[in-house]
Structure formats: structure tokens, C-alpha cells
Amino acid sequence: MKTDSISTGELPIYESLIRERGDVVEEARAVAEETQHQMTQALNGVAAAPQETAAQ
């Protein structure tokens, strides 16, 4: 195990999972922020155009 990766707070297993599967945590964070923005607009009475999402 490399000590330099531990000292920076990064875990080697997490880094390899990100390479294999993508950064799911970051994607979830981005979706949550966008949803929060849309809900704030909706509660303020600002109509947003509906967005379509592609099912994969």
C-alpha cells in the first residue's frame, strides 16, 4: 500500500473503482444539485422547460 495516497486522503480501492465504474458519488451530487435548483425555481414560480432523460 502506498503511503502517499493515504496521506492525501485518497483510497486506492476507491480510485480503481472510479476508473472501472465512473465516479457515481460525483454524478449523484451533480444530479442532486440540479434537482435542488429546479425545485427552487418551481417553488419560486419559475416555469422550467421539461428535460428528457435517455433510459440506458
Side-chain angles (χ1 to χ4, degrees):
M1 182 178 282
K2 297 189 297 184
T3 57
D4 60 335
S5 65
I6 295 172
S7 65
T8 61
E10 298 292 329
L11 299 175
I13 187 74
Y14 186 69
E15 291 172 3
S16 66
L17 285 171
I18 289 174
R19 281 192 298 274
E20 288 178 24
R21 310 269 176 148
D23 194 348
V24 176
V25 174
E26 179 57 34
E27 291 173 21
R29 182 179 296 120
V31 171
E33 289 174 357
E34 178 62 25
T35 301
Q36 184 177 21
H37 176 72
Q38 290 175 358
M39 293 302 102
T40 300
Q41 286 185 325
L43 290 172
N44 289 331
V46 177
Q51 297 179 353
E52 293 184 24
T53 58
Q56 294 183 3

